Amino acid sequence: PASAAMTDEGGHYELINRSGGKGAVISEHFVEITMDVAGSGVEKLPEKYNKKTTLAASVRGGDGPIDFDLKSK
């Protein structure tokens, strides 16, 4: 199942999976990161981070957070 989260003002987040549990399900995952400031409907990040994601994560039991260092041009 997919997981989702929103960051707070400090960039902190907590994933919730579709089953209602905390965190991601143990598996391989494609990762999509979006940034829509104030619900404007305008995506602020390049498509390689969302619609055409190049991000992936391998979730194993007991892993801590998996963060992504996004780079701009």
Side-chain angles (χ1 to χ4, degrees):
S3 300
M6 292 185 68
T7 58
D8 62 18
E9 296 81 21
H12 302 99
Y13 63 92
E14 184 173 38
L15 287 176
I16 304 295
N17 60 55
R18 285 193 180 163
S19 299
K22 291 184 179 182
V25 173
I26 296 172
S27 184
E28 301 293 322
H29 297 270
F30 288 106
V31 177
E32 295 182 21
I33 301 174
T34 62
M35 184 175 156
D36 176 2
V37 179
S40 68
V42 177
E43 178 56 55
K44 304 291 185 190
L45 296 176
E47 287 185 339
K48 69 179 182 178
Y49 297 134
N50 45 71
K51 291 179 185 177
K52 296 181 180 178
T53 189
T54 59
L55 304 174
S58 179
V59 177
R60 297 177 189 89
D63 285 351
I66 300 173
D67 295 324
F68 294 87
D69 186 19
L70 306 182
K71 305 286 183 190
S72 61
K73 293 182 181 178

